[in-house]
RNA sequence: GCCCCUGUGGCGGAAUUGGUAGACGCGCCUGACUCAAAAUCAGGUGGUGGAAACAUCGUGCUGGUUCGAGUCCGGCCAGGGGCACCA
């Protein structure tokens, strides 16, 4: 019996067309079934779908198809994160306008996505560069502004010299721009900010509720928000020493217990008091200028030595005005955190100690580590930053760190100067407001107008969207909007006088902060969201994407959803109830003897025993096999969709992506593995073909009894069903793959052992087994599954079929075989009735030869019976 | 420097969450089919000893808890990630 070889190319195209023609994946908002919203992070339309995308969307598609089979009304949309710099760079390099460039890329990538057979509702497709999308974003910007969630302020910002634009803190990784990799400089600019800090506490607290998020991402967000509880202490200054008679200085600390160890105060170089003093002290002004200079590049900043300048000002210790503390300006104090001023306790803070040692300010240990004799506890080069008992601290002596903090806070809060308390408890966050101004063209225009008479005026809602002009030039660096001859010149909507449009555009992360909400009703024109739709669908039940967005996109979206809730655009605060971060696709690298990289497609791998060797396929030239790395153009180790889907088909690529590694880990793309997946596709095809030959007709009545062969097959089918059902729910697709393999092996063996003329009961069981098998692999390999479904004689679409129903009786055996251990080592097996009592099991075990021998006539010390698991005899 | 995660055959990885370590796949070895190759099918594949039954060791190292530890606890080592003058 021969079966035709499975033709992936034609078959996949055929089913894709059928799904499309029948609108199988279009989702209705008024469908009464329970909802399930699956979403993969939408792509930037770079023009090329790479295997990382394939993995991401395959995972999402498995979830979508499985949930659909489980009876949910599944929303699985797709769109384009279409604003961004690459389009502008293409415009500069290739003289193509960003708009047609982006549109062409979208068309290409959409066609590639369709080749993968994803069950996407394309009727909801959106692109963020479309005015029908960004007009709503402008509307929300204005609403947020009115709600006090937008602010225009002057501050130090990260300037990317390559991209010629400002970046948010989250977009600076190790001092470099997240995209350009250029060293970021600090610049002082007036910018638009979203007040993400307004939600700092809530964003932090709510992380606890995100139970279906990876712990790792939750931790990263907690650290990024960086809450610390401390005390704001108002130090008195000796007014005679200050530039204009200033008498107070606020300092934030989390270690108020060490207050008696204070040796100095330090101000950030740009602290108002430092600037005031600098007007009267040229040397200080020079020092501050120097700090600013070295402060431009993050890298230098990290290596820079602690430096300070004694301002001559004197502060008084809050508990003893006779203790005078010098006030320095120091390069390591940050203006943006706390009050921009600190008190230095050298004994218990390494930075303060380095500083004090350099300027000979001395140190007094005030916290004694546990187990240390206070009498000979001295600090030289290493500060003690841990907890302990207080020493050298008058009324605090003997207290624990915690008690001393409380005592200091209590006493200082009770003190007043003027009529203000000397201290108050304060919570500080590391999180900064989100700077969204970008000095670029290809982004969403910020809908405001600058008027000399009226100040900053919002664009009236009737005038939205503020459209990007299309006639722009990219011949020079900088922002083309700013250079446009007419676009920015407008009349003030308030006074009618001449005014200027804002030429900055929004960070593209704003675009991606609410697209998931827009998908719930992308048709509504009068508002960003339809409240019924957005409240029905959100939060996203399963969101899938890369770990690189752990704090960027995922934190911004959490903020944005809260802001939408505050302005009435959504009824929820958390956008993503479940998050899954998938690993990267990596590949071996190959290099010639001259060090140049060679693409996998040009390489031939030879194996000799366990040794692997690589050669250039064309010439046989030997190549060095390099480390396995993230796919990149520079290492030339990329694999394109065409390389995979071309002959072996999308199903093969999808199956391989899911088979080896757990989805959260990196998967190594190997030629051998891909071939293995292709072989399995063929094997399933043959297997289902053979099964179809003997399988009963679909409506054959269920036989009253099953013979041993039929029963064994049914058991294997239902065992696989039970296991795959559980593991697909837990997104453990690699384990699902193993179960399907196991079942296919058992099925094939069963068919091979068959007599020529199978009995009716077996023919019924074969149909059942085949239909279960096909439905189990359908979410992963939908085209092959549809084709097999048709081969089995069904006329329905498998894409809309229900998940098989488990018969639990079939996976319960009447007898169980338990391993028998003697002193913890396995020595025998015992088979007992499933419902055997513990004494019965014990009796059976003690009767075993191996146990008798081991006991040597003596009674066992102990027999541990764990029903259905194991028996352990302690001799 | 601080915080977190991960270490299991030649490789990717399973292990019912404290109960038979190595499922499943890749690779490799042997055999069948073939003039031959590919494809396919059958068998084998952690180390050591043994013809075999079997014995014995074995989840980075080390100590502990337990009848029983890959899984829990303590201390190391290695690899990966996040944050980084955050007071």
């Amino acid at each position: 019996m021969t079966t035709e070889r499975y033709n992936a190319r034609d078959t996949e195209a055929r089913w894709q067309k059928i799904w499309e023609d029948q609108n199988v994946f279009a989702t209705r908002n008024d469908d009464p079934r329970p909802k399930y919203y699956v979403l993969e992070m939408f792509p930037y339309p770079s023009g090329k779908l790479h295997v990382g995308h394939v993995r991401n969307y395959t995972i999402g598609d498995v979830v979508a198809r499985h949930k659909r089979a489980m009876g949910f009304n599944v929303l699985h949309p797709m769109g384009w994160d279409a604003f961004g710099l690459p389009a502008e760079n293409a415009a500069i390099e290739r003289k193509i306008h960003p708009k047609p460039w982006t549109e062409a890329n979208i068309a290409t990538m959409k066609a590639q996505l369709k080749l993968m057979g994803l069950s996407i509702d394309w009727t909801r497709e959106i692109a963020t560069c479309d005015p029908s999308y960004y007009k709503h974003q402008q509307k929300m910007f204005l609403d947020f502004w009115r709600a006090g969630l937008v602010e225009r302020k002057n501050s130090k910002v990260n300037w990317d010299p390559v991209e010629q634009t400002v970046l948010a803190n989250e977009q600076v990784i190790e001092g470099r721009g997240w995209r350009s990799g250029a060293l970021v400089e600090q610049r002082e600019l007036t910018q638009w900010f979203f007040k993400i800090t307004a939600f700092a506490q809530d964003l932090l607290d709510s992380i606890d509720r995100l139970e279906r998020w990876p712990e790792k991402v939750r931790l990263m967000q907690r650290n990024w928000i960086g809450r610390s509880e401390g005390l704001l202490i108002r130090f008195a200054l000796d007014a005679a020493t200050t530039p204009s008679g200033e008498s107070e200085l606020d300092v934030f600390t989390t270690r108020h217990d060490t207050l008696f160890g204070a040796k100095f105060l330090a101000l950030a170089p740009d602290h108002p008091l430092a600037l005031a003093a600098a007007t009267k002290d040229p040397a200080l002004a020079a020092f501050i200028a120097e700090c600013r200079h070295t402060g431009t590049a993050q890298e230098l900043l990290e290596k820079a030595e602690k430096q300070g300048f004694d301002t001559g000002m004197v502060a008084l210790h809050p508990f003893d005005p006779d203790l005078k503390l010098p006030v320095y300006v120091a390069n390591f104090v940050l203006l943006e955190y706390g009050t921009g001023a600190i008190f230095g306790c050298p004994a218990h803070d390494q930075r303060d100690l380095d500083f004090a040692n350099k300027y000979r300010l001395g140190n007094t240990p005030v916290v004694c580590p546990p187990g240390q004799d206070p009498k000979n506890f001295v600090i030289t080069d290493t500060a003690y930053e841990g907890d302990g008992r207080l020493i050298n601290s008058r009324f605090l002596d003997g207290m624990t760190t915690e008690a001393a903090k409380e005592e200091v806070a209590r006493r200082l809060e009770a003190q007043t100067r003027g009529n203000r308390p000397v201290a108050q408890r304060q919570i500080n966050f590391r999180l900064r407001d989100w700077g969204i101004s970008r000095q670029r063209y290809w982004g969403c225009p910020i809908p405001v107008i600058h008027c000399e008479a009226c100040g900053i005026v919002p664009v009236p809602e009737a005038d939205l969207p503020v459209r990007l002009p299309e006639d722009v030039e990219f011949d020079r660096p900088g922002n083309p909007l700013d250079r446009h001859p007419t676009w920015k010149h407008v009349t003030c909507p308030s006074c009618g006088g001449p005014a200027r449009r804002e030429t900055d555009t929004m960070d593209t992360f704003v675009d991606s902060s609410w697209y998931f909400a827009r998908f719930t009703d992308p048709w509504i024109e009068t508002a960003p969201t339809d409240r019924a739709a957005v409240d029905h669908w959100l939060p996203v039940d399963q969101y899938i994407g890369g770990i690189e967005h752990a704090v960027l996109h995922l934190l911004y979206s959490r903020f944005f959803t809260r802001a939408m809730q505050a302005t009435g655009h959504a009824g929820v605060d958390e956008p993503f109830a479940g998050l899954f971060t998938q690993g990267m696709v990596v590949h071996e690298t190959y290099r010639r003897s001259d060090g140049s990289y060679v693409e996998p497609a040009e390489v031939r791998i030879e194996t000799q025993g366990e040794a692997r060797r690589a050669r250039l396929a064309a010439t046989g030239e030997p190549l060095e096999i390099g480390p396995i790395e993230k796919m990149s153009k520079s290492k030339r180790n990329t694999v394109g969709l065409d390389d995979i889907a071309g002959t072996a088909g999308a199903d093969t690529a999808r199956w391989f992506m899911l088979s080896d590694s757990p989805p959260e880990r990196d998967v190594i793309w190997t030629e051998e593995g891909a071939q293995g997946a292709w072989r399995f596709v063929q094997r399933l095809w043959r297997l289902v073909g053979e099964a179809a030959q003997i399988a009963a007709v679909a409506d054959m009545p269920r036989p009253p009894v099953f013979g041993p062969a039929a029963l064994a097959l049914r058991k294997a089918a239902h065992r696989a069903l039970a296991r795959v059902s559980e593991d697909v729910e837990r997104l453990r697709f690699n384990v699902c793959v193993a179960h399907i393999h196991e079942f296919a092996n058992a099925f094939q063996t069963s068919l091979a052992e068959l007599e020529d003329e199978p009995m009716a009961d077996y023919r019924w069981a074969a149909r059942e087994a085949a239909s279960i098998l096909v439905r189990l692999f359908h979410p992963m390999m939908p085209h092959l599954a549809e084709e097999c479904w048709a081969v089995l004689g069904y006329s329905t679409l498998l894409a809309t079929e229900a998940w098989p129903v488990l018969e639990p009786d079939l996976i319960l055996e009447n007898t169980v075989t338990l391993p028998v251990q003697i002193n913890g080592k396995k020595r025998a097996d015992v088979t007992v009735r499933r419902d055997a009592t513990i004494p019965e099991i014990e009796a059976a075990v003690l009767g075993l030869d191996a146990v008798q021998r081991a006991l040597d006539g003596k009674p066992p010390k102990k027999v541990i019976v764990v029903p259905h698991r194991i028996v352990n005899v302690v001799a």
Side-chain angles (χ1 to χ4, degrees):
Chain A
M1 180 172 60
T2 52
T3 320
E4 238 179 275
R5 215 167 140 83
Y6 178 68
N7 182 332
R9 208 189 177 89
D10 296 350
T11 310
E12 290 185 352
R14 197 170 73 246
W15 288 110
Q16 282 159 18
K17 183 158 190 316
I18 291 170
W19 294 328
E20 188 163 342
D21 289 350
Q22 301 194 15
N23 249 328
V24 179
F25 306 121
T27 304
R28 295 175 59 108
N29 284 351
D30 60 1
D31 191 304
R33 292 173 297 172
K35 69 100 181 180
Y36 196 91
Y37 188 176
V38 197
L39 187 65
E40 300 98 58
M41 290 180 185
F42 68 162
Y44 176 79
S46 61
K48 207 172 173 188
L49 201 71
H50 57 77
V51 267
H53 290 125
V54 174
R55 192 177 196 202
N56 190 195
Y57 306 137
T58 300
I59 292 169
D61 200 46
V62 173
V63 174
R65 286 179 181 269
H66 173 249
K67 288 293 174 185
R68 221 174 265 121
M70 294 301 287
F72 289 91
N73 182 36
V74 171
L75 177 58
H76 186 214
M78 180 60 73
W80 310 97
D81 189 12
F83 273 137
L85 260 185
E88 268 181 83
N89 293 337
I92 294 162
E93 286 161 23
R94 285 180 254 168
K95 312 250 179 268
I96 312 167
H97 189 277
K99 189 168 178 247
W101 184 84
T102 303
E103 283 166 355
N105 286 348
I106 288 176
T108 317
M109 285 181 77
K110 189 173 173 182
Q112 288 180 315
L113 277 178
K114 290 201 165 180
L115 287 179
M116 289 180 56
L118 303 168
S119 61
I120 285 169
D121 180 357
W122 285 106
T123 66
R124 294 174 189 248
E125 179 182 4
I126 52 180
T128 57
C129 64
D130 191 330
S132 69
Y133 180 82
Y134 69 67
K135 105 176 180 191
H136 301 296
Q137 192 164 305
Q138 291 171 341
K139 153 84 172 138
M140 285 193 286
F141 176 92
L142 297 175
D143 287 348
F144 291 1
W145 193 6
R146 275 188 285 273
L149 295 170
V150 174
E151 197 177 17
R152 186 169 162 82
K153 62 185 174 190
N154 186 283
S155 83
K156 258 191 192 162
V157 292
N158 308 295
W159 178 263
D160 186 321
V162 169
E163 299 202 340
Q164 293 269 310
T165 186
V166 164
L167 296 177
N169 287 353
E170 291 79 8
Q171 292 154 25
V172 178
I173 317 282
E174 288 177 4
R176 291 167 184 273
W178 73 290
R179 236 178 162 128
S180 69
L183 280 174
V184 163
E185 298 165 11
Q186 303 296 306
R187 285 201 184 176
E188 187 107 356
L189 288 170
T190 302
Q191 301 275 296
W192 289 98
F193 287 85
F194 278 157
K195 293 187 74 177
I196 190 169
T197 55
F199 295 107
Q201 188 67 56
D202 186 41
L203 285 167
L204 182 69
D205 292 342
S206 302
I207 292 173
D208 295 339
R209 289 192 280 127
L210 299 173
E211 284 159 19
R212 290 175 46 232
W213 279 42
E215 193 48 49
K216 184 179 177 165
V217 175
R218 303 207 292 171
L219 189 75
M220 280 164 73
Q221 292 213 353
R222 279 194 195 102
N223 290 341
W224 188 263
I225 296 168
R227 181 192 140 109
S228 46
E229 280 180 41
L231 198 65
L232 185 104
I233 302 175
R234 188 158 289 134
F235 277 78
L237 297 174
D238 178 350
T241 64
T242 58
S244 328
E246 289 91 344
S247 61
E248 286 182 347
L249 176 62
D250 285 348
V251 158
F252 176 72
T253 182
T254 57
R255 287 304 301 271
H256 30 295
D257 55 312
T258 65
L259 196 50
F260 282 106
K263 292 291 170 195
F264 64 95
L265 267 56
L267 305 170
D270 282 310
H271 192 281
L273 188 56
L275 297 177
T279 59
K280 310 212 164 154
D281 184 345
L284 176 57
F287 176 75
I288 291 172
E290 194 192 315
C291 288
R292 283 192 190 138
H293 186 69
T294 52
T296 52
Q298 291 268 345
E299 200 180 39
L300 290 172
L301 204 135
E302 279 163 33
K303 289 174 188 149
E305 208 185 325
K306 307 264 173 294
Q307 299 219 17
F309 188 97
D310 188 351
T311 61
M313 290 186 256
V314 171
L316 313 180
H317 194 283
F319 286 129
D320 184 351
D322 291 334
L323 291 174
K324 314 269 191 215
L325 301 168
V327 180
Y328 277 74
V329 170
N331 65 347
F332 67 94
V333 181
L334 303 173
L335 183 65
E336 300 81 30
Y337 188 78
T339 62
I342 61 158
F343 82 78
C345 175
H348 303 291
D349 183 287
Q350 192 59 47
R351 289 159 308 174
D352 296 347
L353 183 64
D354 294 344
F355 189 81
N357 284 347
K358 179 161 177 179
Y359 294 101
R360 302 180 186 284
L361 300 171
N363 77 69
T364 305
V366 291
V367 178
C368 185
Q372 171 83 37
D373 180 3
K375 285 191 205 76
N376 50 32
F377 179 53
V378 288
I379 296 284
T380 52
D381 308 322
T382 309
Y384 175 67
E385 298 186 345
D387 291 352
R389 292 271 174 191
L390 273 285
I391 53 172
N392 303 324
S393 296
R394 306 189 187 179
F395 51 83
L396 301 175
D397 282 351
M399 289 185 187
T400 61
T401 299
E402 203 180 334
K405 275 185 189 172
E406 183 54 36
E407 181 64 16
V408 168
R410 206 180 52 76
R411 286 190 185 226
L412 289 183
E413 277 175 317
Q415 276 188 47
T416 52
R417 190 163 50 247
N419 48 11
R420 301 202 298 163
V422 162
Q424 62 193 68
R425 289 168 215 251
Q426 200 182 60
I427 290 159
N428 262 298
F429 294 93
R430 211 190 72 108
L431 184 69
R432 297 272 86 87
D433 279 332
W434 175 16
I436 58 149
S437 299
R438 295 292 179 273
Q439 293 69 44
R440 306 298 313 199
Y441 165 74
W442 195 232
C444 171
I446 296 174
V448 297
I449 288 165
H450 302 267
C451 171
E452 287 203 13
C454 314
I456 297 165
V457 183
V459 171
E461 287 188 14
D463 295 349
L464 296 183
V466 176
R467 284 172 191 270
L468 285 173
E470 294 196 17
D471 52 336
V472 285
E473 305 278 339
F474 293 95
D475 50 348
R476 280 171 289 163
N479 184 353
L481 285 179
D482 207 32
R483 292 196 306 262
H484 192 278
T486 56
W487 188 74
K488 70 176 173 184
H489 303 295
V490 288
T491 54
C492 171
S494 175
C495 69
R500 183 177 60 81
R501 229 184 242 301
E502 171 72 59
T503 56
D504 283 354
T505 52
M506 293 186 212
D507 182 3
T508 55
F509 277 101
V510 179
D511 313 339
S512 55
S513 290
W514 70 285
Y515 75 107
F516 45 86
R518 185 70 189 167
F519 275 139
T520 65
D521 183 348
W523 304 285
I524 183 168
E525 286 174 21
T526 52
T529 56
D530 174 80
R531 275 299 297 271
V534 77
D535 293 351
H536 172 68
W537 285 109
L538 287 188
V540 173
D541 295 279
Q542 187 64 63
Y543 196 40
I544 303 155
I547 187 83
E548 67 272 18
H549 288 293
V551 282
L552 288 157
H553 162 59
L554 291 167
L555 187 60
Y556 294 146
S557 298
R558 295 183 63 218
F559 156 74
F560 211 92
T561 308
R562 281 168 172 75
M564 286 174 76
Q565 187 186 41
T567 51
H569 293 295
V572 296
D573 54 356
E574 285 296 340
F576 313 120
L579 172 70
F580 188 85
T581 52
Q582 102 269 0
M584 292 184 300
V585 183
V586 294
H587 198 287
E588 270 181 340
T589 49
Y590 310 101
R591 1 181 25 161
R592 285 196 156 101
S593 48
D594 64 1
S596 63
Y597 287 97
V598 176
E599 281 182 20
E602 301 172 49
V603 175
R604 190 175 68 228
I605 300 289
E606 294 172 354
T607 48
Q608 268 188 336
E610 270 156 18
R612 294 177 76 244
R613 221 173 275 161
R615 286 180 186 281
L616 202 61
T619 62
E621 178 191 333
L623 300 169
E624 186 198 333
I625 299 183
I628 295 164
E629 294 192 61
K630 179 182 177 175
M631 291 192 183
S632 70
K633 271 186 193 159
S634 60
K635 302 276 166 65
R636 305 195 64 171
N637 62 338
T638 55
V639 175
L641 183 71
D642 306 336
D643 300 333
I644 331 153
T647 52
D651 284 341
T652 298
R654 293 170 59 124
W655 185 255
F656 176 66
M657 282 296 179
L658 299 167
S659 46
D660 265 6
S661 297
E664 68 276 13
R665 273 195 230 175
D666 288 351
V667 63
I668 306 168
W669 184 275
T670 62
E671 207 39 51
E672 294 91 336
Q675 271 170 20
W678 175 230
R679 273 204 301 272
F680 190 61
V681 166
Q682 297 289 354
R683 220 179 112 208
L684 284 175
W685 172 244
R686 281 196 309 272
L687 177 60
V688 174
E690 281 173 37
Q693 304 259 334
I694 62 150
V697 291
D699 54 0
M700 173 184 172
R702 178 190 174 116
V705 284
F706 292 95
L711 192 60
L713 180 56
R714 296 200 67 213
K715 282 182 174 177
H718 283 267
R719 201 160 35 231
L721 171 58
R723 290 173 175 171
V724 172
S725 300
E726 190 192 328
D727 284 318
V728 81
E729 203 73 57
R730 294 166 64 189
L731 309 182
R732 292 156 41 94
F733 305 123
N734 57 321
V735 187
C736 291
V737 164
H739 296 324
I740 291 170
H741 262 284
E742 231 167 327
F743 175 34
N745 291 346
F747 198 173
Q748 198 167 355
T749 307
S750 173
L751 287 174
E753 284 169 356
L754 216 53
E755 305 285 329
D756 292 340
E757 266 305 307
M759 305 287 282
D761 66 327
Y762 188 86
R763 295 177 55 231
W764 192 92
R767 159 156 303 273
E768 183 194 33
S771 84
I772 287 176
L773 175 66
V774 170
R775 280 178 289 174
L776 290 185
F777 70 74
H778 160 252
M780 303 169 192
M781 296 193 283
H783 312 88
L784 176 67
E786 288 281 9
E787 189 71 4
C788 288
W789 194 244
V791 163
L792 287 171
Y794 297 107
S795 55
T796 54
L797 270 181
L798 185 51
T800 56
E801 279 292 314
W803 197 246
V805 178
L806 181 70
E807 290 183 28
D809 287 353
L810 283 169
I811 54 173
L812 285 180
E813 296 288 344
N814 293 330
T815 59
V816 286
T817 299
L818 302 176
V820 177
Q821 295 184 333
I822 295 164
N823 294 329
K825 297 197 182 223
K826 197 208 157 190
R827 286 297 130 107
D829 287 307
V830 68
T831 300
V832 294
R833 282 192 349 271
R834 184 172 177 80
D835 54 356
T837 62
I838 288 175
E840 282 170 345
I841 297 172
E842 252 178 61
V845 166
L846 292 177
L848 293 172
D849 282 353
V851 176
Q852 296 273 324
R853 253 183 284 127
L855 288 177
D856 199 19
K858 290 174 231 130
K861 285 208 186 91
K862 204 170 175 184
V863 179
I864 292 133
V865 177
V866 186
H868 305 153
R869 286 284 150 78
I870 201 164
V871 181
N872 192 9
V873 179
V874 185

